[in-house]
Amino acid sequence: AQSVTQLGSHVSVSEGALVLLRCNYSSSVPPYLFWYVQYPNQGLQLLLKYTSAATLVKGINGFEAEFKKSETSFHLTKPSAHMSDAAEYFCAVSGGSNYKLTFGKGTLLTVNP
Amino acid sequence: KAGVTQTPRYLIKTRGQQVTLSCSPISGHRSVSWYQQTPGQGLQFLFEYFSETQRNKGNFPGRFSGRQFSNSRSEMNVSTLELGDSALYLCASSLERAGRDEQFFGPGTRLTVL
């Protein structure tokens, strides 16, 4: 069975600072990995997806994530935080023949002016 | 292209009642998944439907059930409601597989059980 751990339920950064949201996964097979974002009072939206084509994945709004198999990690980064990045971010993993998707508990990102 | 729509957006029920939530996926999407979101438990997978068949199921009691129609629209039903069922219920659609393809989420149905 696969699982996802997001380290830090709440991360606070200043506008212009580096954003780093951590995600570790466990999967017995090569996984699909996703980052989704949820803005207040909205549904989730895909930021980026890893499918084994490249270890560094670029997503929307300047976000990117690096797949590190040896560390079983898929951390999300953005060089410079914007006020509009304030939202909840979810890491998710799937794998195996049934592609069952498992979400992490989410990390709430606050951006301070 | 219209997004995923969910009805109703808000619902208030009392314990013991049952409720049916509806989801219309993006046109052409054949996979529909349901999630329960609460502050304490986060986002929990309920089930995924594809071509009118349940393909995956989460760890929820049998009071939670769903179905998918031939036009890919889906409904989920919760019977004998409990206070702990109060949550935001999210529906998501994807082309073929939730765990492989991008999912598009609806705005959710906010269920309050009194």
Side-chain angles (χ1 to χ4, degrees), chain A residues 24-47:
Chain A
N24 288 88
Y25 70 92
S26 71
S27 176
S28 58
V29 296
Y32 283 86
L33 292 158
F34 305 80
W35 276 100
Y36 281 87
V37 60
Q38 185 177 31
Y39 297 104
N41 301 313
Q42 294 186 29
L44 279 73
Q45 176 185 355
L46 181 69
L47 271 179

Side-chain angles (χ1 to χ4, degrees), chain B residues 9 12 14-15 17 30 32 38 41 46-47 49 51 56 59 62-63 67 71 75 77 87-88 90 105 109 114:
Chain B
R9 291 294 310 280
I12 299 176
T14 56
R15 278 180 300 174
Q17 287 187 307
R30 297 167 66 193
V32 174
T38 58
Q41 297 298 318
L46 279 156
F47 23 66
Y49 285 88
S51 291
N56 277 314
N59 298 322
R63 300 186 296 107
R67 59 177 175 169
N71 62 358
E75 289 181 347
N77 184 277
L88 181 67
L90 292 167
F105 284 78
T109 294
L114 302 175

